[in-house]
């Protein structure tokens, strides 16, 4: 009865077909659970329920069907884990296809019991954990498809035991480490896809790797070597092979380097002691490193810090639009919310440090004010460049603006903003003379100039505020300001020190918010649900369901309205999937599993080229 327009649930009367051997119901509109009585049809050797809208879990008693040779449950809405009983069906020789569902959990090590299976497909699910090495015991495998899951760990070397393997796809996972050399020894392998993982190291050159048309490995930016047609960068010089022979030389080098560093540190210490004795104190009038403005100037330029000039509120203070004669332009004035008094010296030092930080995607600190207000209370403020187009928060959630027509961002602008924010983080984490941890990355701290170029603000403010309280460093669990709820990583809530990994979590959540239009604090996220999980359950097959409806351009919108995200312009679809993947990895709960900013910017550069190509290439 396959490929009809049958609807409804599988009738319970089917349980009476005790002698049925072959059942084909694929390609219909059947819904509901797979009935448990399927396990009672013990004479079945061929069962296809694929391409329906079945849901629920796979009934464990399917293991009673010990004559099954062909089992296909693909392209449904099945959830839960894969029951171990399914791997006890030793008769499965032709096919086991569970692909394009919503199955979760790991791929059990019991998969190795399917020693005679030809075709195994669990692709496009939500499976995680490591690929079990026991899969190498499936010695009859010819087609193995594991792509589009969240498998991590390394590629098992046991794949080399699959001597008849012809097709292997493990793309779009979270695999890392090198490509095992033993894969080049599988003489039957004709197609290998390892794209969009986190693989690194040298690519083999024999076997399937000799033909660039038979392998796909884009999206792994730490791979090197291989044949020239793959256009990978050359590998660095390999380590000494005979370490034992070089051990005495290695010891000598280490001793020399340590001695040099010790002498250098002594010289530097003497230099700074002498310089400090020669320099005037911070309290002296000779401090001209930063042109300061008075409280009177700021009060006058903001009309007494009036509400009509208030353009933002945050955990660190209030921001006002103002006009300063000394700057001869419109500026933004951040009045800090002081919890403690004092530390004038540290405030000046930190302000000077902030002023030296310059990047096209950072809001420039122009000057500062450290004074008292008209009531005699301590007053500290920073003056920044004014951004005409406001914050990203206002553009993502236009309901907070009283603007006509409503302000929205198309896909191209959102991608540029993601790229701009990543560039700013790369500068703060990798290029500054002193590492700067943002601590509070969120849409309200991303400002847009006249050309819609994104500028990150409030960088280094956590260190600045801690200096006012007399704390010299922010890398301590005692600092109270550790970001905003929803954007701060979970480890901060457990007392962990602030870190660049924490910034990467905030960046991941920011990416997901830009793409979905949903705040991480949205009221729909209850009972343990969050923005990361919301995206993960629809990734990568159903991204059309989670895209911000205001996001897409006209061409992409028409494609989505056709009813399936596979109708998207291919390159644009691939770009969207890649962006969501980066956002998901960066917002992983464990800091160790998150991407670093260097890898993020490399991937974004590649995605950007594909994205622009997808929109610029005319469609026929």
């Amino acid at each position: 009865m396959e490929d009809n327009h049958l609807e409804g649930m599988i009738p319970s009367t089917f349980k009476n077909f005790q002698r049925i051997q072959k059942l084909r119901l694929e390609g219909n509109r059947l819904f509901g659970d797979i009935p448990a009585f399927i396990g009672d049809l013990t004479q079945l050797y061929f069962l296809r329920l694929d391409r329906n809208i079945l849901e629920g879990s796979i009934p464990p008693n399917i293991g009673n069907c010990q004559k099954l040779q062909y089992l296909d449950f693909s392209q449904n809405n099945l959830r839960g884990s894969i029951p171990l009983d399914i791997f006890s069906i030793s008769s499965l020789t032709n096919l086991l296809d569970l692909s394009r569902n919503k199955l979760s959990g790991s791929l059990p090590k019991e998969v190795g019991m399917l020693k005679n299976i030809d075709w195994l497909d669990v692709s496009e699910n939500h499976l995680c954990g490591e690929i079990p090495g026991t899969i190498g015991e499936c010695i009859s495998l010819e087609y193995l498809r594991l792509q589009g899951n969240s498998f991590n760990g390394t590629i098992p070397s046991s794949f080399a035991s699959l001597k008849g393997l012809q097709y292997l796809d493990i793309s779009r996972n979270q695999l890392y480490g090198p490509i095992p050399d033993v894969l080049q020894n599988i003489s039957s392998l004709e197609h290998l896809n390892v794209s969009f993982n986190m693989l690194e190291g040298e690519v083999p050159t024999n076997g399937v790797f000799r033909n660039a048309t038979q392998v796909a490995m884009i999206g792994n930016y730490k791979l090197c070597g291989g044949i020239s047609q793959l256009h990978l960068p050359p590998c660095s010089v390999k380590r000494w092979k005979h370490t034992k022979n070089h051990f005495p030389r290695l010891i000598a080098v280490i001793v020399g380097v340590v001695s040099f560093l010790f002498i250098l540190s002594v010289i530097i210490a003497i230099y700074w002691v002498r310089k400090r004795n020669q320099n005037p104190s911070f309290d002296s009038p000779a401090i001209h490193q930063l042109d300061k403005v008075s409280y009177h100037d700021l009060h006058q330029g903001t009309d007494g810090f009036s509400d009509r000039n208030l353009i933002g509120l945050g955990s660190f203070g209030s921001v006002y639009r103002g006009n300063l004669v000394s700057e001869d332009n419109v500026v933004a004035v951040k009045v800090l919310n002081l919890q403690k008094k004092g530390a004038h010296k540290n405030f000046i030092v930190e302000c000077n440090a902030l002023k030296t930080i310059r990047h096209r995607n950072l809001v420039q600190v122009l000057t500062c004010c450290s004074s008292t207000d008209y009531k005699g209370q301590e007053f500290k403020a920073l003056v920044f460049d004014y951004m005409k187009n406001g914050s990203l928060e206002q553009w993502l959630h236009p309901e907070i603006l009283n603007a006509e027509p409503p302000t929205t961002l198309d896909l191209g602008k959102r991608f540029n903003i993601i790229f701009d924010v990543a560039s700013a983080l790369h500068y703060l984490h990798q290029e500054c003379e002193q590492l700067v941890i943002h601590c509070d990355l969120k849409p309200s701290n991303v400002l847009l100039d006249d050309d819609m170029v994104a500028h990150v603000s409030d960088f280094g403010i956590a260190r600045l505020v801690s200096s006012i309280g007399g704390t010299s460093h922010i890398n301590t669990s005692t600092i109270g300001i550790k970001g905003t709820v929803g954007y701060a990583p979970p480890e901060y809530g457990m007392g962990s020190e602030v870190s660049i990994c924490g910034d990467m979590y905030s960046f991941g959540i920011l990416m997901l918010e830009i793409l979905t239009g949903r705040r991480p604090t949205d009221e729909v996220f209850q009972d343990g649900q969050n923005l990361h999980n919301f995206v993960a359950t629809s990734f990568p097959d159903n991204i059309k369901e989670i895209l911000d409806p205001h996001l897409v351009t006209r061409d992409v919108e028409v494609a989505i309205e056709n009813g399936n995200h596979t109708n998207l312009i291919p390159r644009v679809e691939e770009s969207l999937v890649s962006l969501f993947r980066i956002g998901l990895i960066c917002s992983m709960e464990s800091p160790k599993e998150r991407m670093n900013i260097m890898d993020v910017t490399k991937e974004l550069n590649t995605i950007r080229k594909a994205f622009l190509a997808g929109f610029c290439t005319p469609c026929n």
Side-chain angles (χ1 to χ4, degrees):
M1 292 181 281
E2 72 275 8
D3 296 316
N4 283 287
H5 300 286
L6 301 177
E7 298 180 347
M9 303 176 70
I10 299 176
S12 59
T13 50
F14 274 37
K15 65 184 177 183
N16 298 324
F17 300 152
Q18 290 295 308
R19 297 184 181 181
I20 195 169
Q21 296 178 327
K22 188 172 184 178
L23 178 58
R24 297 188 61 176
L25 296 172
E26 77 271 16
N28 285 290
R29 299 170 184 169
L30 302 175
F31 57 81
D33 294 351
I34 297 176
F37 65 72
I38 287 290
D40 299 329
L41 307 180
T42 56
Q43 300 302 308
L44 279 174
Y45 75 87
F46 191 102
L47 176 59
R48 289 192 63 175
L49 302 178
D50 51 291
R51 291 184 290 120
N52 284 287
I53 46 178
L54 298 170
E55 52 191 14
S57 58
I58 299 173
N61 64 355
I62 191 71
N64 296 336
C65 301
Q66 286 294 316
K67 294 184 178 181
L68 269 178
Q69 301 175 21
Y70 191 109
L71 177 59
D72 192 345
F73 287 162
S74 64
Q75 299 187 56
N76 283 286
N77 293 317
L78 301 178
R79 297 178 180 272
S81 58
I82 304 174
L84 300 182
D85 310 73
I86 210 167
F87 302 113
S88 67
I89 307 175
S90 57
S91 58
L92 272 176
T93 54
N94 289 339
L95 176 140
L96 174 59
D97 192 346
L98 306 177
S99 64
R100 295 187 177 275
N101 281 287
K102 298 179 180 179
L103 299 172
S104 56
S106 62
L107 181 61
K109 64 180 184 301
E110 284 77 8
V111 67
M113 298 168 63
L114 300 177
K115 299 186 183 302
N116 299 313
I117 194 79
D118 289 338
W119 186 304
L120 177 60
D121 190 347
V122 294
S123 63
E124 312 296 346
N125 279 287
H126 304 308
L127 301 176
C128 59
E130 297 186 354
I131 299 174
T134 53
I135 208 166
E137 299 173 15
C138 303
I139 54 177
S140 296
L141 261 180
E142 295 180 1
Y143 293 87
L144 177 58
R145 299 169 64 95
L146 305 176
Q147 74 271 18
N149 284 286
S150 297
F151 289 120
N152 53 37
T154 57
I155 301 174
S157 298
S158 59
F159 280 165
S161 302
L162 307 176
K163 300 300 183 183
L165 190 64
Q166 300 177 29
Y167 186 103
L168 175 60
D169 193 339
I170 51 177
S171 62
R172 290 184 287 116
N173 282 288
Q174 299 171 22
L175 301 171
Y176 54 82
I179 298 176
D181 288 339
V182 290
L183 292 184
Q184 63 188 347
N185 299 331
I186 306 177
S187 58
S188 58
L189 191 58
E190 298 177 353
H191 177 89
L192 172 65
N193 190 347
V194 297
S195 301
F196 294 105
N197 282 284
M198 296 177 285
L199 302 175
E200 57 184 287
E202 187 169 6
V203 174
T205 55
N206 294 320
V208 69
F209 300 98
R210 288 183 295 189
N211 190 337
T213 63
Q214 293 181 310
V215 294
M217 52 187 63
I218 63 171
N220 295 280
Y221 301 104
K222 294 185 179 180
L223 289 178
C224 61
I227 61 175
S228 58
Q229 291 86 345
L230 293 175
H231 304 293
L232 295 173
C235 296
S236 57
V237 179
K238 295 183 178 180
R239 299 176 183 174
W240 293 333
K241 290 185 177 180
H242 303 290
T243 307
K244 181 180 276 188
N245 296 339
H246 293 279
F247 188 73
R249 185 186 303 176
L250 181 62
I251 293 297
V253 170
I254 293 175
V255 171
V257 170
V258 171
S259 301
F260 172 76
L261 292 176
F262 175 75
I263 295 172
L264 182 62
S265 62
V266 171
I267 294 173
I268 292 174
I270 294 173
Y271 169 78
W272 281 110
V273 169
R274 290 180 177 177
K275 184 175 181 181
R276 185 178 61 181
N277 292 335
Q278 294 171 358
N279 286 342
S281 68
F282 286 110
D283 293 325
S284 71
I287 182 167
H288 296 299
Q289 298 160 307
L290 190 68
D291 294 329
K292 293 174 287 184
V293 295
S294 67
Y295 173 80
H296 173 77
D297 293 335
L298 296 182
H299 188 274
Q300 185 177 25
T302 58
D303 294 330
F305 303 104
S306 65
D307 289 342
R308 64 176 176 273
N309 284 322
L310 182 65
I311 57 177
L313 289 171
S315 55
F316 295 108
S318 306
V319 183
Y320 297 87
R321 181 181 185 274
N323 288 276
L324 296 183
V325 176
S326 59
E327 296 298 331
D328 195 28
N329 61 358
V330 180
V331 295
V333 181
K334 178 180 282 292
V335 179
L336 298 182
N337 181 21
L338 300 180
Q339 301 296 325
K340 296 182 180 181
K341 294 184 177 181
H344 170 76
K345 298 178 183 179
N346 287 338
F347 177 76
I348 295 296
V349 170
E350 295 296 341
C351 285
N352 278 310
L354 291 179
K355 191 178 180 183
T356 61
I357 297 175
R358 293 178 178 271
H359 188 272
R360 69 179 297 268
N361 296 121
L362 292 175
V363 177
Q364 180 61 43
V365 178
L366 301 176
T367 183
C368 75
C369 176
S370 179
S371 181
T372 56
D373 61 19
Y374 292 150
K375 297 180 181 180
Q377 296 177 342
E378 190 167 17
F379 177 89
K380 286 180 170 61
L382 294 173
V383 180
F384 300 90
D385 281 332
Y386 176 73
M387 297 292 156
K388 180 180 179 181
N389 278 314
S391 71
L392 177 60
E393 170 85 9
Q394 297 166 324
W395 288 82
L396 289 179
H397 310 290
E399 68 274 9
I400 67 176
L401 286 179
N402 296 320
E404 292 291 343
T407 54
T408 58
L409 293 170
D410 61 27
L411 182 57
K413 288 187 175 67
R414 296 194 193 204
F415 181 82
N416 287 335
I417 290 171
I418 290 172
F419 190 85
D420 290 342
V421 175
S423 298
L425 270 188
H426 188 278
Y427 175 81
L428 294 175
H429 288 181
Q430 300 294 328
E431 299 174 25
C432 276
E433 183 176 349
Q434 184 178 11
L435 169 67
V436 177
I437 301 173
H438 192 286
C439 296
D440 198 25
L441 188 62
K442 56 186 178 181
S444 60
N445 282 336
V446 178
L447 307 181
L448 304 173
D449 65 15
D450 294 7
D451 299 319
M452 297 300 289
V453 175
H455 300 256
V456 175
S457 68
D458 272 14
F459 56 90
I461 299 295
R463 181 186 295 275
L464 181 66
V465 173
S466 68
S467 74
I468 297 173
T471 307
S472 57
H473 300 285
I474 66 167
N475 291 329
T476 171
S477 58
T478 62
I479 299 302
I481 301 172
K482 289 186 176 181
T484 302
V485 174
Y487 302 94
E491 65 266 21
Y492 285 8
M494 295 181 285
S496 296
E497 297 178 351
V498 296
S499 66
I500 57 176
C501 291
D503 274 0
M504 295 312 299
Y505 178 90
S506 302
F507 176 75
I509 293 296
L510 178 67
M511 280 191 67
L512 298 183
E513 182 172 359
I514 290 173
L515 296 172
T516 64
R518 290 182 179 267
R519 295 183 178 90
T521 54
D522 195 300
E523 59 184 10
V524 301
F525 300 140
Q526 298 177 357
D527 301 326
Q529 178 68 295
N530 56 40
L531 180 57
H532 174 94
N533 295 337
F534 168 76
V535 173
T537 55
S538 297
F539 177 86
D541 291 332
N542 298 312
I543 58 173
K544 66 182 180 66
E545 297 180 3
I546 57 175
L547 284 176
D548 185 344
H550 300 106
L551 182 149
V552 291
T553 60
R554 180 173 299 176
D555 290 337
V556 182
E557 188 171 14
V558 170
I560 289 181
E561 287 175 353
N562 289 334
N564 193 314
H565 84 282
T566 56
N567 292 324
L568 287 167
I569 301 172
R571 292 179 181 176
V572 178
E573 177 199 2
E574 185 175 318
S575 299
L576 282 170
V577 170
S578 299
L579 288 174
F580 273 116
R581 175 182 170 272
I582 293 174
L584 286 172
I585 297 177
C586 288
S587 58
M588 296 291 285
E589 184 173 350
S590 171
K592 295 181 180 179
E593 296 181 13
R594 299 170 197 158
M595 296 178 71
N596 61 55
I597 194 60
M598 291 184 293
D599 291 338
V600 166
T601 50
K602 288 179 182 178
E603 289 206 21
L604 287 177
N605 271 310
T606 301
I607 298 169
R608 190 180 209 180
K609 295 177 182 177
F611 175 84
L612 293 175
F615 272 102
C616 296
T617 302
C619 298
N620 296 323

